[in-house]
């Protein structure tokens, strides 16, 4: 077992207080957005095995099968397949979508061929991997996720009575915005509406923001009015109105596959994703936006997202699993009540304590205590680990092989 030392990413949308509170640290006065736990080369965790801190990606590269297990290496290659995070949103994140594996490989190769540096701000693809992800709320959490039905989006925009929004509303109506959707027309309507929203003139954006400011602060326009306060000149305010507004309670989760447009608005969550940092943005950000590439990645399908509840895991008492349709990551949690629990050691895993304190006891008797905000990496030794604590919550990130 290795206690991990992790990097906090200070993105502008981060909360000033949430991550310092979780980690038991003083706020710096600067936004702190994401705590990265894993082996992504952008900000790898460090572990000290008696010779000073070393990067987790370097430790894994030195002995992939010893760290990850033969089954994981055979299935996913000689790198940790997932990246684990705590995300703390003080203001909205960008509206974004992530590529499929084939899209990521092609985009990464194309940008390499153009000689675009990996850290260049105009870079879309920083690695050759896809980025499906799951977020699990640690408290009240709010976001936008997936497209509304064209009729619902058209009704919302029409209600603002802003003439300049007509091009967006017309495209929604073409897919059944105010009637039954035409066969095959819904996808074309959503594509046209998003394209039109991202092409609106500045005056329409400003007028929309002015009208939003006058709407009911507790009504259906409220989340978009709050977004507009932080991004008053951004077309993403209008693009966001094409998406479903979602609220999660503590313990609820969302899974987002490739191409699903989304933006997290406020709150703290744990996030587990494939080991990638590929993001295509549509707005609500000063960062690089590439609309043509975004339109190639987004999946234009409407539907309300499903909030996931954890389910007991047969054969592992106390473990609750959040199901996902992929094997590169697996998220579960333990709410410890004084009863000792046991997890197997056949796969690489990161354990994060988010409430109380948890004691980890390895098969050889080694003990590691985790306080709130601390985490550990468990190599795939094959040996079980015992968990104990009272009133504590522990999230387990691993893979399925």
């Amino acid at each position: 077992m290795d206690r991990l030392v992790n990097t906090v990413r200070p993105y502008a949308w981060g909360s000033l207080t949430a991550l310092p509170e979780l980690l038991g640290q003083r706020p710096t006065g600067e936004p702190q957005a994401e705590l990265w736990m894993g082996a992504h080369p952008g900000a790898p965790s460090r572990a000290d095995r008696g010779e000073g801190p070393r990067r987790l990606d370097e430790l894994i590269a030195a002995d992939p099968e010893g760290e990850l297990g033969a089954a994981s290496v055979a299935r996913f290659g000689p790198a940790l397949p997932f990246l684990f995070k705590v995300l703390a949103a003080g203001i909205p994140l960008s509206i974004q979508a992530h590529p499929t594996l084939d899209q990521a490989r092609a985009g990464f190769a194309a940008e390499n061929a153009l000689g675009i540096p990996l850290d260049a701000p105009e870079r879309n693809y920083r690695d050759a991997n896809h980025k499906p992800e799951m977020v699990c709320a640690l408290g009240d959490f709010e976001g936008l996720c997936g497209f509304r039905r064209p009729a619902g989006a058209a009704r919302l925009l029409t209600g603002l009575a802003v003439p300049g929004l007509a091009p967006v509303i017309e495209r929604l109506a073409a897919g059944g915005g105010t009637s039954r959707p035409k066969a095959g027309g819904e996808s074309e309507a959503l594509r046209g509406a998003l394209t039109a929203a991202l092409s609106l003139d500045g005056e329409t954006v400003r007028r929309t923001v002015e009208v939003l400011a006058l709407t009911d602060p507790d009504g259906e326009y409220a989340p978009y009015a709050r977004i507009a306060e932080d991004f008053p000149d951004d077309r993403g305010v209008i693009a966001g109105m094409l998406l479903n507004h979602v609220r999660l309670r503590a313990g609820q989760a969302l899974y987002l596959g490739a191409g699903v447009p989304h933006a997290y608005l406020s709150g703290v969550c744990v996030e587990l994703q494939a080991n990638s940092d590929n993001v295509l943005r549509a707005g609500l950000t000063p960062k690089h936006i590439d609309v043509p590439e975004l339109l190639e990645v987004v999946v234009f399908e409407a539907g309300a997202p499903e909030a996931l509840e954890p389910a007991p895991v047969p054969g592992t008492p106390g473990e609750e699993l959040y199901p996902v349709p992929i094997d590169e990551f697996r998220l579960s949690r333990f709410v410890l009540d004084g009863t000792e629990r046991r997890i197997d050691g056949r796969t690489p895993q990161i354990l994060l304590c988010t409430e109380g304190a948890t004691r980890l006891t390895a098969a050889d008797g080694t003990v590691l205590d985790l306080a709130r905000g601390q985490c550990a990496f468990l190599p795939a030794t094959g040996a079980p680990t015992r968990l104990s604590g009272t009133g504590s919550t522990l999230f387990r990130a691993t893979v399925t092989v």
Side-chain angles (χ1 to χ4, degrees), residues 66-388:
E67 302 290 344
L68 306 176
S72 181
V73 172
R75 182 79 184 277
F76 306 113
L80 190 66
F82 61 82
L83 176 60
F84 201 18
K85 299 178 181 178
V86 180
L87 183 153
I91 64 172
L93 283 67
S94 60
I95 298 175
Q96 58 187 255
H98 308 302
T100 65
L101 186 57
D102 287 343
Q103 289 168 337
R105 287 171 173 169
F108 185 68
E111 292 186 342
N112 282 348
L114 292 172
I116 303 174
L118 284 178
D119 59 354
E122 70 273 19
R123 181 103 190 191
N124 290 319
Y125 298 94
R126 301 185 185 279
D127 52 66
N129 202 11
H130 62 167
K131 192 176 177 284
E133 64 190 42
M134 168 172 275
V135 293
C136 180
L138 296 183
D140 291 338
F141 191 79
E142 191 175 3
L144 307 176
C145 182
F147 285 107
R148 293 173 179 266
R149 295 289 178 191
R155 180 190 57 79
L156 197 68
L157 291 171
T158 300
L160 294 174
V162 176
L165 295 177
V168 184
I169 297 169
E170 289 168 1
R171 284 161 176 78
L172 291 168
T178 56
S179 62
R180 295 183 62 184
K182 302 174 184 178
E186 188 174 77
S187 176
E188 294 178 9
L190 292 171
R191 176 184 288 274
L194 180 61
T195 303
L198 296 177
S199 304
L200 290 171
D201 60 273
E203 179 57 32
T204 297
V205 175
R206 286 189 289 275
R207 179 57 184 154
T208 302
V209 168
E210 290 172 358
V211 173
L212 284 170
L214 300 174
T215 59
D216 180 357
D218 298 316
E220 64 179 339
Y221 292 104
Y224 307 101
R226 293 196 299 271
I227 292 169
E229 291 178 2
D230 292 306
F231 297 93
D233 301 315
D234 198 308
R235 295 178 181 88
V237 173
I238 298 160
M241 296 178 73
L242 303 177
L243 308 183
N244 297 290
H245 178 230
V246 180
R247 283 192 174 97
L248 300 180
R249 302 187 313 273
Q252 290 185 315
L254 280 177
Y255 172 77
L256 296 89
V260 176
H262 61 281
Y264 304 134
L265 303 182
S266 64
V268 182
C269 68
V270 294
E271 181 181 42
L272 186 57
Q273 61 181 71
N275 192 28
S276 173
D277 197 25
N278 288 325
V279 180
L280 284 302
R281 301 176 182 87
L284 309 185
T285 180
K287 293 183 179 180
H288 177 61
I289 294 176
D290 185 337
V291 173
E293 190 68 20
L294 171 81
L295 295 175
E296 290 298 315
V297 164
V298 169
V299 175
F300 291 96
E301 294 179 358
E306 179 186 3
L308 302 174
E309 303 280 356
V313 178
T316 310
E319 186 176 24
E320 301 173 303
L321 178 67
Y322 294 91
V324 293
I326 63 170
D327 294 334
E328 284 153 290
F329 60 76
R330 176 186 185 276
L331 180 67
S332 62
R333 73 172 183 181
F334 290 83
V335 180
L336 299 168
D337 58 3
T339 303
E340 186 174 84
R341 304 300 186 184
R342 183 182 297 257
I343 55 175
D344 70 61
R346 294 174 294 174
T347 56
Q349 48 200 306
I350 293 176
L351 305 180
L352 168 69
C353 180
T354 59
E355 289 293 339
T358 305
R359 170 162 290 187
L360 314 180
T361 305
D364 64 2
T366 301
V367 170
L368 181 61
D369 290 319
L370 298 181
R372 184 170 184 257
Q374 294 183 332
C375 69
F377 173 68
L378 277 60
T381 63
T385 298
R386 303 195 305 276
L387 315 176
S388 58

Side-chain angles (χ1 to χ4, degrees), residues 51-76:
E51 299 176 351
R54 292 188 60 190
R55 293 167 46 135
L56 185 57
D57 56 338
E58 294 176 349
L59 290 171
I60 290 172
D63 184 11
E65 289 199 2
E67 302 290 344
L68 306 176
S72 181
V73 172
R75 182 79 184 277
F76 306 113

Side-chain angles (χ1 to χ4, degrees), residues 3-5 45-56 58-59:
R3 186 188 306 278
L4 294 180
V5 177
S45 300
R46 284 89 63 205
D48 189 342
R49 295 181 175 175
E51 299 176 351
R54 292 188 60 190
R55 293 167 46 135
L56 185 57
E58 294 176 349
L59 290 171

